[in-house]
Amino acid sequence: MTPATPSRAPGAPSVLVLRALGLGDLLAGVPALRGLRRAFPGHRLVLAQPPGLTELALATGAVDAVLPAEAPDRAVPALTHWPDPPPDVAVDLHGNGPESRDALAALRPRRLLAHACPDGPPWRAQLNERDRWCAFLHGYGIPADPLDLRLPRPTTPSPAPGAVVVHPGAASGSRRWPGERFAAVVRCLRAAGHHVVLTGGPGEDALVRSVAERGGQRAADVLTGGLPFARLSALVAEASLVLSGDTGLAHLAVAHGTRSVTLFGPLSPRLWGPPSHPDHVALWKPGPPGDPHGRTPDARLLRIPTGEVAAACLTLLRDVRGRHRQHAEVAHVH
């Protein structure tokens, strides 16, 4: 595990939280993690999650250490490698159980908080992800604010300060707006005089290069292969705008207070979208929910036209050019 912070020594009682999911999931869980941090100030809070997200988890200020844990397809990982005595408190932020509850229960914690426990709050599927987990903690008498989601400013320099960041990839094909449409928006933004950079995660190099070629991008403005988190965080924090589908980078933009345009489908932004704020535009065509893990672009996503996306970006960017972007905490807007 990542070493604990000096303020909470390894001998302190522990809170083990399970949320072994992706980048966007971790960021959506930050308000709940901070609620737990405040509720158990003398405990050592350990987060069971993929090891690649360790730097981000520690940057939230809520987590003392990470227990590496991951499984394919968002499944529940085994936690049998937990090296310490039974946790004082175990918290299931992974899902509605019972598999995730059972993985924590096997460690024999003194207290277990989970939707699938007899005393657990009811699972509220139609809430926004941030609201759901804060409501879950409220059910146990633990206050948590779904708008407590901002990250501190990165100390790493941005590779492209002030650029428009366009991220065409997504973990599943159903959330991936066509590359040729992203390229058309890139051309529009460049024609309006904006510096555009393209990003992609591991395995998305072909997509990013295709969008770059169609959009007329310079090689220096194509960031493939998946940036290390520190550089990615700095890039997003210093961007003038982030354009992406419903993926982790959109959550990172919200966490840094960076203006964003996010394309939703097959799930509504009501479930995974940003807080209501003029700096964040969520584009969505209503309809029955589809498969968020499907292989082909969702029909609702395909109904979002290129012109609407370009207009949303240019409107936000016009405001950026008119005043300096503020880095203070965003207002709590309900």
Side-chain angles (χ1 to χ4, degrees):
M1 289 190 295
T2 302
T5 59
S7 60
R8 300 176 191 94
S14 60
V15 176
L16 176 62
V17 182
L18 173 60
R19 191 165 176 82
L21 300 165
L23 171 64
D25 303 277
L26 173 54
L27 289 167
V30 165
L33 290 170
R34 287 179 173 159
L36 289 167
R37 174 76 287 157
R38 289 188 291 270
F40 300 98
H43 287 59
R44 183 169 177 260
L45 197 150
V46 180
L47 179 61
Q49 63 155 33
L53 297 175
T54 296
E55 193 172 359
L56 170 57
L58 298 179
T60 67
V63 175
D64 296 307
V66 164
L67 177 71
E70 56 187 332
D73 301 321
R74 300 174 70 85
V76 178
L79 302 176
T80 53
H81 56 299
W82 170 254
D84 298 329
D88 190 59
V89 183
V91 186
D92 180 7
L93 297 185
H94 190 89
N96 60 352
E99 294 86 354
S100 47
R101 174 205 63 192
D102 292 346
L104 289 166
L107 302 179
R108 300 187 179 278
R110 187 183 66 81
R111 184 184 182 196
L112 176 58
L113 312 184
H115 277 294
C117 283
D119 65 342
W123 176 259
R124 302 173 69 181
Q126 296 308 307
L127 283 184
N128 185 278
E129 186 75 359
R130 294 179 302 275
D131 297 325
R132 177 190 297 123
W133 293 110
C134 289
F136 163 74
L137 293 182
H138 276 282
Y140 282 106
I142 299 174
D145 180 358
L147 293 175
D148 185 10
L149 46 74
R150 290 290 294 272
L151 292 177
R153 304 298 299 174
T155 57
T156 301
S158 167
V164 177
V165 176
V166 177
H167 186 84
S172 62
S174 61
R175 292 184 280 126
R176 203 173 295 140
W177 202 51
E180 60 270 19
R181 299 193 193 182
F182 273 111
V185 176
V186 168
R187 291 195 299 271
C188 180
L189 294 173
R190 293 180 66 248
H194 296 286
H195 177 202
V196 179
V197 298
L198 288 167
T199 63
E204 295 178 341
D205 287 3
L207 170 63
V208 174
R209 289 191 177 111
S210 173
V211 173
E213 183 177 347
R214 295 182 181 193
Q217 286 289 97
R218 300 181 308 148
D221 293 327
V222 181
L223 306 176
T224 56
L227 291 175
F229 175 73
R231 281 172 59 80
L232 180 65
S233 184
L235 175 70
V236 169
E238 296 299 331
S240 57
L241 176 80
V242 171
L243 167 63
S244 73
D246 175 17
T247 189
L249 211 68
H251 292 272
L252 191 57
V254 172
H256 280 310
T258 299
R259 288 174 173 82
S260 65
V261 174
T262 309
L263 315 181
F264 281 87
L267 296 181
S268 164
R270 182 167 57 87
L271 301 178
W272 282 94
S276 177
H277 192 280
D279 282 350
H280 304 297
V281 175
L283 298 181
W284 156 254
K285 302 301 178 183
D291 179 5
H293 309 297
R295 295 186 176 182
T296 58
D298 182 77
R300 281 151 293 275
L301 187 62
L302 293 177
R303 285 168 53 198
I304 302 175
T306 302
E308 184 177 357
V309 176
C313 292
L314 291 172
T315 298
L316 287 179
L317 288 166
R318 192 174 302 122
D319 186 38
V320 171
R321 285 187 165 179
R323 60 183 172 90
H324 291 294
R325 190 162 64 83
Q326 296 180 353
H327 296 313
E329 293 291 319
V330 293
H332 284 197
V333 180
H334 296 276

